[in-house]
Amino acid sequence: MKRIEQLRALLEQANRAYYVDNEPVMPDAEYDALMAELVRLETAHPELHDPHSPTHRIGGEPIEGFVTVRHAVPMLSIDNTYGLEDLRAWHDRVRKGLDLEPGEPGPTYACDPKIDGVAVSLRYERGSLVVAATRGDGERGDDITAQARTIRAVPLRLGARGIAVATPEVVEIRGEVYMPNREFDRINDERERAGEPLFANARNATAGTLKSLDPRIVAGRNLHFVAHGRGEVAGSGGGAVDVASFSAFMAWIRALGVPTSPDLTLCAGIDEVVSTIESFRDRRAGLGYGVDGMVVRVDAFEHQDRLGATSKAPRWCIAFKYPAEQGTTVLRRVDWQVGKGGTLTPRATMEPILLAGTTVQHATLHNIEEIQRKDIRVGDTVVIEKAGDIIPQVVRVETSKRRGREQPLEPPSRCPACEGVVQREGPKIYCVNPECPAQFREKLAWFAGRGQMDIDGLGEKLVNQLIAAKLVSHFADLYTLRRDDLLKLDRMGEKSADNLLAGVEASRSRGLGRVLAGLGIRHIGATAAKILARHFDDADALLAAGVEQIMELPDFGEVTAATLHAHLHSKPGRETFSRLDAVGVDLTSHDRARSGRAIPALTGKTIVLTGTLEHHSRQELVERLEAIGAKVTTSVSKKTDLVIVGANPGSKLEKAKELGIATWDEATLDKALTPDS
């Protein structure tokens, strides 16, 4: 259908004009209207499906979890320098490494602004995006392909629609995913109105967004991407393989529709590098996104190869970090905010001040020990800076400006949200009330999460609605929700209400381990919860255990055991288990019930899961395999004994075949898990 192709071309041209050429050709409203029309037409004509259509950026269903992928070429970190003398010393080392004589020109450097975002690698095969991955540890990262496909600045296919482009068989483009300042402010404004915790900075917001298992959340946050390097380039396909320098590679991928920095500058020597760094210093505040330095790299790939790398970083590249901008203002108030787990964090409110291009009124004071070390008082004149030009913090107090009216800060004796008892452990202060309302919103979202009670359909927005409507004020209230009450919520249709109630009903049978992992008890995460569930038959047995008995468990020290025991025997803690039991939540140990039965084909084996499983959720299957003594890992290696293969398995199956590792389908696994059937 001609109109579908026309719309696809128009939307791709708009993306390129906005993200690559910096010359928008249509307003957002027009773009959205064209996208809506394309969605309608593609829905009406499923036979014209195209995986590269712009509609695939809207985001599909949530993924089950992240898988780990190995980078074909390691993503090394970059050494930092904070002074021009150190930068010149690096230049001298580069020249020495290239055997350049005094007076001999060179090398040419490429200077590129260092955007403060999340490093990713985009792998294109035959011109199509097949894998996007985070940097991770440099060798391996998380597969975020579903998330990256929703980012409009990331091309799904290299080149323009309908135009044949010569590309290598494989080309990996490294770059930075980042959140513009305006988008960061918009999201935090929405979170503040909803009573949700604010993101500390745009980089954290970007990282948190990419970690979302729901690509639709990523699609709604307007992330950007800019390229800054290359990974593997292999196979035939034209001039890409033959480019001789970083700047030529950037020009080539830009021609293919990949966003690159408009501020990339070639410099003939170190003096030009210094001049570029200094001239850019004053411009960066007006860019609209975070830039904390300038990356300086040797331009010629031949020179890069000769210089090589250490085990951690290339010798041909260095990041010059701009010193944080400082300013002076007056501290007016300190509030203690209650976060997940009950941690109380001091937040300063100051006279507004313009700093690094934005108005700053709030800053973190970290903890009570930091306040006391710096002798920070309300009414003090303080020097603040943006650490990395992102997070405002108080550097020091101008004690010479004190007038005797400043008020010393004392740690709170009660929780500011619930007036409950607080405890101090070293520099940290905690609210120990498990039903503190400030904690409950975040705890409820955690309780419903995929790794805990796995309540399908209960996301962040719905949690806020349920609490605001006073339908849920305790975990147990989830199990008394009524369909009629749900249908009164904003944008809650019959299907969504039925799906939520079905998810809640299914979660009743998760067992003690998942309940413990979901309650948000301090020091008790998924691993500790599994250990407890393997040693106690049910909640009653756990409640009957003393501190000494809990301390005997693997990896349970005195502090963790005492904290858990105190929580279990507090009035809110006892009430939580009582109320969950009353609404029919299974508090028996599924892990302990299976732990004694070994299955020779699985017990003691190292197992990898790949592909989509039809009859098991990945989390439940991992728990079941671990309960019988198997070890489940995320990557295939020579140490792997068995690979369980679902639909669309990907590269892990190929790796297993290469290494001669046994593979089972889901039916074979089910038969092994139920040998008596």
Side-chain angles (χ1 to χ4, degrees):
M1 185 176 180
K2 185 178 292 186
R3 180 56 177 169
I4 287 180
E5 281 303 313
Q6 182 184 38
L7 288 169
R8 288 170 177 170
L10 283 171
L11 291 168
E12 287 186 358
Q13 290 167 10
N15 285 338
R16 179 178 180 121
Y18 187 91
Y19 293 102
V20 180
D21 302 329
N22 296 310
E23 296 177 354
V25 294
M26 65 177 67
D28 289 346
E30 182 180 350
Y31 183 96
D32 293 341
L34 293 176
M35 178 67 78
E37 181 184 355
L38 180 57
V39 169
R40 289 195 300 271
L41 289 174
E42 288 185 345
T43 302
H45 298 277
E47 71 278 7
L48 299 179
H49 169 79
D50 183 347
H52 302 298
S53 171
T55 57
H56 286 266
R57 297 188 184 280
I58 297 173
E61 292 301 309
I63 61 176
E64 286 196 3
F66 290 107
V67 296
T68 302
V69 295
R70 179 178 289 274
H71 299 302
V73 176
M75 294 183 70
L76 299 178
S77 58
I78 300 175
D79 286 335
N80 294 326
T81 181
Y82 295 86
L84 295 177
E85 290 185 7
D86 291 338
L87 181 65
R88 291 183 182 276
W90 169 79
H91 162 72
D92 292 339
R93 294 194 298 272
V94 167
R95 286 182 56 84
K96 183 178 180 180
L98 295 176
D99 296 323
L100 296 176
E101 298 293 334
E104 187 178 354
T108 298
Y109 294 110
C111 293
D112 203 16
K114 185 178 181 297
I115 296 176
D116 195 37
V118 176
V120 301
S121 179
L122 306 177
R123 183 179 178 89
Y124 291 86
E125 295 181 0
R126 294 178 293 279
S128 294
L129 177 67
V130 293
V131 175
T134 61
R135 179 182 178 276
D137 63 4
E139 296 286 341
R140 305 173 193 82
D142 287 333
D143 186 334
I144 57 165
T145 309
Q147 290 82 346
R149 288 179 65 88
T150 71
I151 301 172
R152 285 173 53 187
V154 173
L156 302 181
R157 173 168 55 190
L158 298 177
R161 177 172 292 273
I163 300 176
V165 178
T167 60
E169 188 72 15
V170 173
V171 57
E172 288 183 342
I173 298 170
R174 270 72 192 272
E176 208 79 4
V177 173
Y178 65 96
M179 182 177 289
N181 295 341
R182 184 168 59 182
E183 183 70 7
F184 171 69
D185 291 339
R186 180 189 69 80
I187 292 170
N188 261 356
D189 285 345
E190 289 181 355
R191 294 176 72 87
E192 186 169 26
R193 288 195 297 271
E196 302 170 13
L198 303 186
F199 286 119
N201 54 69
R203 188 190 185 284
N204 284 359
T206 302
T209 300
L210 291 178
K211 287 180 180 178
S212 171
L213 296 177
D214 189 345
R216 290 167 295 194
I217 292 177
V218 188
R221 288 188 173 170
N222 195 30
L223 297 180
H224 287 217
F225 170 82
V226 64
H228 57 48
R230 66 169 186 167
E232 180 182 20
V233 181
S236 60
V241 178
D242 301 325
V243 294
S245 66
F246 170 79
S247 56
F249 180 78
M250 288 293 107
W252 178 74
I253 63 173
R254 180 181 175 85
L256 294 179
V258 180
T260 62
S261 172
D263 295 297
L264 175 65
T265 305
L266 288 180
C267 301
I270 193 62
D271 289 337
E272 288 190 19
V273 169
V274 170
S275 177
T276 297
I277 288 172
E278 291 182 335
S279 64
F280 185 74
R281 183 194 309 265
D282 297 331
R283 289 202 302 113
R284 62 196 180 101
L287 292 176
Y289 50 87
V291 173
D292 60 359
M294 182 74 74
V295 177
V296 183
R297 53 168 55 83
V298 175
D299 189 43
F301 288 147
E302 177 193 355
H303 289 167
Q304 292 183 9
D305 293 340
R306 285 168 59 185
L307 290 165
T310 67
S311 60
K312 296 181 179 180
R315 295 187 179 92
W316 44 265
C317 186
I318 198 166
F320 179 87
K321 302 293 286 289
Y322 291 107
E325 184 179 337
Q326 295 185 341
T328 302
T329 185
V330 177
L331 176 61
R332 293 303 186 196
R333 189 176 77 248
V334 173
D335 299 306
W336 292 82
Q337 297 182 316
V338 186
K340 184 179 178 182
T343 307
L344 272 62
T345 302
R347 179 178 186 245
T349 298
M350 305 162 296
E351 292 289 342
I353 180 175
L354 187 65
L355 200 62
T358 60
T359 300
V360 175
Q361 190 173 9
H362 303 288
T364 178
L365 298 179
H366 301 293
N367 55 59
I368 188 61
E369 285 190 359
E370 186 76 357
I371 289 173
Q372 293 170 341
R373 184 180 68 82
K374 293 177 179 177
D375 189 21
I376 299 172
R377 306 179 185 183
V378 174
D380 269 333
T381 298
V382 294
V383 175
I384 62 170
E385 71 177 24
K386 282 189 173 182
D389 282 343
I390 298 296
I391 308 171
Q393 62 182 351
V394 174
V395 178
R396 65 179 183 276
V397 174
E398 297 282 28
T399 55
S400 63
K401 296 186 178 181
R402 282 182 174 164
R403 296 294 180 264
R405 297 187 295 271
E406 295 76 17
Q407 302 171 4
L409 289 163
E410 297 293 335
S413 58
R414 291 279 177 177
C415 172
C418 69
E419 292 295 322
V421 176
V422 298
Q423 289 182 352
R424 180 170 173 178
E425 291 181 10
K428 293 187 177 181
I429 300 171
Y430 298 93
C431 170
V432 298
N433 177 10
E435 295 185 359
C436 173
Q439 301 176 49
F440 182 64
R441 186 185 309 273
E442 196 168 350
K443 283 186 174 182
L444 184 60
W446 174 259
F447 181 81
R450 193 171 295 273
Q452 294 71 248
M453 300 301 281
D454 193 12
I455 302 177
D456 190 30
L458 186 51
E460 193 175 272
K461 291 183 179 179
L462 186 51
V463 163
N464 292 330
Q465 283 188 281
L466 291 173
I467 293 175
K470 295 183 169 36
L471 293 176
V472 176
S473 59
H474 189 280
F475 300 119
D477 293 338
L478 288 171
Y479 300 93
T480 61
L481 287 172
R482 297 183 303 175
R483 189 172 188 264
D484 290 345
D485 290 331
L486 292 175
L487 292 175
K488 296 175 183 177
L489 298 177
D490 184 39
R491 297 185 180 180
M492 176 64 74
E494 293 184 358
K495 184 176 180 181
S496 296
D498 290 339
N499 288 341
L500 175 61
L501 292 173
V504 170
E505 185 61 32
S507 75
R508 291 183 197 267
S509 59
R510 305 291 186 216
L512 179 63
R514 299 283 283 275
V515 171
L516 289 171
L519 291 179
I521 304 170
R522 194 149 46 96
H523 303 314
I524 305 300
T527 300
K530 286 180 182 179
I531 293 172
L532 290 165
R534 288 171 187 165
H535 286 80
F536 296 100
D537 288 324
D538 51 32
D540 289 339
L542 176 58
L543 288 165
V547 174
E548 295 78 8
Q549 188 177 352
I550 297 174
M551 283 178 59
E552 293 174 357
L553 302 181
D555 299 324
F556 271 75
E558 183 177 355
V559 172
T560 301
T563 301
L564 173 62
H565 188 268
H567 175 96
L568 294 174
H569 292 275
S570 66
K571 181 179 178 181
R574 292 194 305 271
E575 183 181 356
T576 292
F577 283 98
S578 176
R579 290 186 62 177
L580 288 174
D581 181 56
V583 294
V585 174
D586 184 0
L587 298 177
T588 63
S589 173
H590 296 186
D591 301 80
R592 186 170 175 81
R594 294 191 296 263
S595 61
R597 181 171 64 84
I599 299 177
L602 299 171
T603 300
K605 305 297 184 182
T606 298
I607 300 173
V608 172
L609 309 177
T610 183
T612 303
L613 301 173
E614 183 178 356
H615 302 295
H616 300 275
S617 81
R618 187 174 293 263
Q619 180 68 28
E620 289 179 344
L621 185 55
V622 168
E623 291 180 359
R624 191 171 180 185
L625 290 170
E626 288 178 343
I628 59 172
K631 179 181 180 182
V632 182
T633 62
T634 57
S635 58
V636 178
S637 70
K638 292 179 180 179
K639 296 181 180 180
T640 304
D641 297 303
L642 177 64
V643 176
I644 308 300
V645 181
N648 304 313
S651 61
K652 292 182 183 180
L653 176 58
E654 297 175 8
K655 184 70 176 291
K657 290 178 178 178
E658 289 177 11
L659 297 175
I661 295 169
T663 59
W664 287 5
D665 59 19
E666 197 171 355
T668 305
L669 174 65
D670 286 339
K671 187 174 181 180
L673 289 171
T674 55
D676 298 329
S677 60

CSV table of all heavy atoms in Angstrom, one decimal, residues 456-484:
chain,number,residue,atom,x,y,z
A,456,ASP,N,1.3,-9.5,37.5
A,456,ASP,CA,1.2,-9.0,36.1
A,456,ASP,C,0.2,-7.9,36.1
A,456,ASP,O,-0.9,-8.0,36.6
A,456,ASP,CB,0.8,-10.1,35.2
A,456,ASP,CG,0.9,-9.7,33.7
A,456,ASP,OD1,1.8,-8.9,33.4
A,456,ASP,OD2,0.1,-10.2,32.9
A,457,GLY,N,0.7,-6.7,35.5
A,457,GLY,CA,-0.2,-5.6,35.4
A,457,GLY,C,-0.1,-4.5,36.4
A,457,GLY,O,-0.7,-3.5,36.3
A,458,LEU,N,0.6,-4.8,37.5
A,458,LEU,CA,0.7,-3.9,38.6
A,458,LEU,C,2.0,-3.1,38.5
A,458,LEU,O,3.0,-3.5,39.1
A,458,LEU,CB,0.6,-4.6,40.0
A,458,LEU,CG,0.6,-3.7,41.2
A,458,LEU,CD1,-0.5,-2.6,41.1
A,458,LEU,CD2,0.3,-4.5,42.5
A,459,GLY,N,2.0,-2.1,37.7
A,459,GLY,CA,3.1,-1.2,37.5
A,459,GLY,C,3.1,0.0,38.3
A,459,GLY,O,2.3,0.2,39.2
A,460,GLU,N,4.1,0.9,38.1
A,460,GLU,CA,4.4,2.0,38.9
A,460,GLU,C,3.1,3.0,38.9
A,460,GLU,O,2.7,3.4,40.0
A,460,GLU,CB,5.6,2.8,38.3
A,460,GLU,CG,6.2,3.8,39.2
A,460,GLU,CD,7.4,4.4,38.6
A,460,GLU,OE1,8.5,3.8,38.8
A,460,GLU,OE2,7.3,5.4,37.8
A,461,LYS,N,2.6,3.2,37.8
A,461,LYS,CA,1.4,4.2,37.7
A,461,LYS,C,0.2,3.6,38.5
A,461,LYS,O,-0.5,4.4,39.2
A,461,LYS,CB,1.1,4.5,36.3
A,461,LYS,CG,2.1,5.3,35.5
A,461,LYS,CD,1.7,5.6,34.1
A,461,LYS,CE,2.7,6.5,33.4
A,461,LYS,NZ,2.3,6.8,32.0
A,462,LEU,N,0.0,2.3,38.3
A,462,LEU,CA,-1.2,1.8,39.0
A,462,LEU,C,-1.0,1.7,40.5
A,462,LEU,O,-2.0,1.9,41.2
A,462,LEU,CB,-1.5,0.4,38.4
A,462,LEU,CG,-2.8,-0.3,38.9
A,462,LEU,CD1,-4.0,0.6,38.8
A,462,LEU,CD2,-3.0,-1.6,38.2
A,463,VAL,N,0.2,1.5,40.9
A,463,VAL,CA,0.5,1.5,42.4
A,463,VAL,C,0.1,2.9,42.9
A,463,VAL,O,-0.6,3.0,44.0
A,463,VAL,CB,2.0,1.2,42.6
A,463,VAL,CG1,2.4,1.7,44.1
A,463,VAL,CG2,2.3,-0.3,42.5
A,464,ASN,N,0.5,3.9,42.2
A,464,ASN,CA,0.2,5.3,42.7
A,464,ASN,C,-1.4,5.5,42.7
A,464,ASN,O,-1.9,6.1,43.7
A,464,ASN,CB,0.8,6.3,41.8
A,464,ASN,CG,2.3,6.3,41.9
A,464,ASN,OD1,2.9,6.0,42.9
A,464,ASN,ND2,3.0,6.7,40.8
A,465,GLN,N,-2.1,5.0,41.7
A,465,GLN,CA,-3.5,5.1,41.7
A,465,GLN,C,-4.2,4.4,42.8
A,465,GLN,O,-5.1,4.9,43.5
A,465,GLN,CB,-4.1,4.6,40.4
A,465,GLN,CG,-3.9,5.6,39.2
A,465,GLN,CD,-4.6,5.1,38.0
A,465,GLN,OE1,-4.2,4.2,37.3
A,465,GLN,NE2,-5.8,5.7,37.7
A,466,LEU,N,-3.7,3.2,43.1
A,466,LEU,CA,-4.4,2.4,44.2
A,466,LEU,C,-4.2,3.0,45.5
A,466,LEU,O,-5.1,3.0,46.4
A,466,LEU,CB,-3.7,1.0,44.2
A,466,LEU,CG,-4.1,0.1,43.0
A,466,LEU,CD1,-3.3,-1.2,43.0
A,466,LEU,CD2,-5.6,-0.2,42.9
A,467,ILE,N,-3.0,3.6,45.7
A,467,ILE,CA,-2.7,4.2,47.0
A,467,ILE,C,-3.5,5.5,47.1
A,467,ILE,O,-4.1,5.8,48.2
A,467,ILE,CB,-1.2,4.5,47.2
A,467,ILE,CG1,-0.5,3.1,47.3
A,467,ILE,CG2,-0.9,5.4,48.4
A,467,ILE,CD1,1.0,3.3,47.4
A,468,ALA,N,-3.5,6.3,46.1
A,468,ALA,CA,-4.2,7.6,46.1
A,468,ALA,C,-5.7,7.4,46.3
A,468,ALA,O,-6.4,8.2,47.0
A,468,ALA,CB,-4.0,8.4,44.8
A,469,ALA,N,-6.3,6.3,45.7
A,469,ALA,CA,-7.7,6.0,45.9
A,469,ALA,C,-8.0,5.3,47.2
A,469,ALA,O,-9.2,5.0,47.5
A,469,ALA,CB,-8.2,5.1,44.7
A,470,LYS,N,-7.0,5.1,48.0
A,470,LYS,CA,-7.1,4.4,49.3
A,470,LYS,C,-7.7,3.0,49.2
A,470,LYS,O,-8.3,2.5,50.1
A,470,LYS,CB,-8.0,5.3,50.3
A,470,LYS,CG,-7.4,6.6,50.6
A,470,LYS,CD,-8.3,7.4,51.6
A,470,LYS,CE,-7.7,8.6,52.2
A,470,LYS,NZ,-6.8,9.4,51.4
A,471,LEU,N,-7.4,2.4,48.1
A,471,LEU,CA,-7.8,1.0,47.9
A,471,LEU,C,-6.7,0.0,48.5
A,471,LEU,O,-7.1,-1.1,48.9
A,471,LEU,CB,-7.9,0.7,46.4
A,471,LEU,CG,-9.1,1.4,45.7
A,471,LEU,CD1,-9.1,1.0,44.2
A,471,LEU,CD2,-10.4,1.0,46.3
A,472,VAL,N,-5.5,0.5,48.6
A,472,VAL,CA,-4.4,-0.3,49.1
A,472,VAL,C,-3.6,0.5,50.1
A,472,VAL,O,-3.0,1.5,49.7
A,472,VAL,CB,-3.5,-0.9,48.0
A,472,VAL,CG1,-2.3,-1.7,48.6
A,472,VAL,CG2,-4.3,-1.8,47.0
A,473,SER,N,-3.5,0.0,51.3
A,473,SER,CA,-2.6,0.7,52.3
A,473,SER,C,-1.8,-0.4,53.0
A,473,SER,O,-1.0,-0.1,53.9
A,473,SER,CB,-3.4,1.5,53.3
A,473,SER,OG,-4.3,0.6,54.0
A,474,HIS,N,-1.9,-1.6,52.6
A,474,HIS,CA,-1.1,-2.7,53.1
A,474,HIS,C,-1.0,-3.8,52.0
A,474,HIS,O,-1.8,-3.9,51.1
A,474,HIS,CB,-1.9,-3.3,54.4
A,474,HIS,CG,-1.1,-4.4,55.1
A,474,HIS,ND1,-0.9,-5.7,54.7
A,474,HIS,CD2,-0.3,-4.2,56.3
A,474,HIS,CE1,-0.2,-6.3,55.6
A,474,HIS,NE2,0.2,-5.5,56.5
A,475,PHE,N,0.1,-4.6,52.1
A,475,PHE,CA,0.3,-5.6,51.1
A,475,PHE,C,-1.0,-6.5,51.0
A,475,PHE,O,-1.4,-6.9,49.9
A,475,PHE,CB,1.5,-6.5,51.4
A,475,PHE,CG,2.8,-5.8,51.5
A,475,PHE,CD1,3.5,-5.7,52.7
A,475,PHE,CD2,3.3,-5.1,50.4
A,475,PHE,CE1,4.7,-5.1,52.7
A,475,PHE,CE2,4.5,-4.4,50.4
A,475,PHE,CZ,5.2,-4.4,51.6
A,476,ALA,N,-1.6,-6.8,52.1
A,476,ALA,CA,-2.7,-7.7,52.1
A,476,ALA,C,-3.9,-7.2,51.4
A,476,ALA,O,-4.8,-7.9,50.9
A,476,ALA,CB,-3.1,-8.1,53.5
A,477,ASP,N,-4.0,-5.8,51.3
A,477,ASP,CA,-5.2,-5.2,50.6
A,477,ASP,C,-5.2,-5.6,49.1
A,477,ASP,O,-6.3,-5.5,48.5
A,477,ASP,CB,-5.1,-3.7,50.8
A,477,ASP,CG,-5.3,-3.2,52.2
A,477,ASP,OD1,-5.9,-4.0,53.0
A,477,ASP,OD2,-4.8,-2.1,52.5
A,478,LEU,N,-4.1,-5.9,48.5
A,478,LEU,CA,-4.1,-6.3,47.1
A,478,LEU,C,-5.0,-7.5,46.9
A,478,LEU,O,-5.7,-7.6,45.9
A,478,LEU,CB,-2.7,-6.7,46.7
A,478,LEU,CG,-1.7,-5.6,46.5
A,478,LEU,CD1,-0.3,-6.2,46.3
A,478,LEU,CD2,-2.1,-4.7,45.3
A,479,TYR,N,-5.1,-8.4,47.9
A,479,TYR,CA,-5.9,-9.6,47.8
A,479,TYR,C,-7.4,-9.5,48.1
A,479,TYR,O,-8.1,-10.4,48.1
A,479,TYR,CB,-5.2,-10.7,48.6
A,479,TYR,CG,-3.8,-10.9,48.2
A,479,TYR,CD1,-2.7,-10.2,48.8
A,479,TYR,CD2,-3.5,-11.8,47.1
A,479,TYR,CE1,-1.4,-10.4,48.3
A,479,TYR,CE2,-2.2,-11.9,46.7
A,479,TYR,CZ,-1.2,-11.2,47.3
A,479,TYR,OH,0.1,-11.4,46.8
A,480,THR,N,-7.8,-8.2,48.4
A,480,THR,CA,-9.2,-8.0,48.6
A,480,THR,C,-9.7,-7.0,47.6
A,480,THR,O,-10.9,-6.5,47.8
A,480,THR,CB,-9.4,-7.4,50.1
A,480,THR,OG1,-8.7,-6.2,50.2
A,480,THR,CG2,-9.0,-8.4,51.1
A,481,LEU,N,-8.9,-6.7,46.6
A,481,LEU,CA,-9.4,-5.7,45.6
A,481,LEU,C,-10.6,-6.3,44.8
A,481,LEU,O,-10.7,-7.5,44.5
A,481,LEU,CB,-8.3,-5.5,44.5
A,481,LEU,CG,-7.1,-4.6,45.0
A,481,LEU,CD1,-6.0,-4.6,44.0
A,481,LEU,CD2,-7.6,-3.2,45.3
A,482,ARG,N,-11.6,-5.4,44.5
A,482,ARG,CA,-12.8,-5.8,43.8
A,482,ARG,C,-12.8,-5.2,42.4
A,482,ARG,O,-12.3,-4.0,42.2
A,482,ARG,CB,-14.0,-5.4,44.6
A,482,ARG,CG,-14.1,-6.0,45.9
A,482,ARG,CD,-15.4,-5.6,46.6
A,482,ARG,NE,-15.5,-4.2,46.7
A,482,ARG,CZ,-16.6,-3.5,47.2
A,482,ARG,NH1,-17.7,-4.2,47.6
A,482,ARG,NH2,-16.6,-2.2,47.3
A,483,ARG,N,-13.4,-5.9,41.5
A,483,ARG,CA,-13.4,-5.4,40.1
A,483,ARG,C,-14.1,-4.1,39.9
A,483,ARG,O,-13.6,-3.2,39.2
A,483,ARG,CB,-14.1,-6.5,39.2
A,483,ARG,CG,-14.0,-6.3,37.7
A,483,ARG,CD,-14.6,-7.5,37.0
A,483,ARG,NE,-14.4,-7.5,35.6
A,483,ARG,CZ,-15.3,-7.0,34.7
A,483,ARG,NH1,-16.5,-6.5,35.2
A,483,ARG,NH2,-15.0,-7.0,33.4
A,484,ASP,N,-15.2,-3.9,40.7
A,484,ASP,CA,-15.9,-2.6,40.6
A,484,ASP,C,-15.1,-1.5,41.0
A,484,ASP,O,-15.2,-0.4,40.4
A,484,ASP,CB,-17.2,-2.7,41.4
A,484,ASP,CG,-18.2,-3.7,40.8
A,484,ASP,OD1,-18.1,-4.1,39.6
A,484,ASP,OD2,-19.2,-4.1,41.5
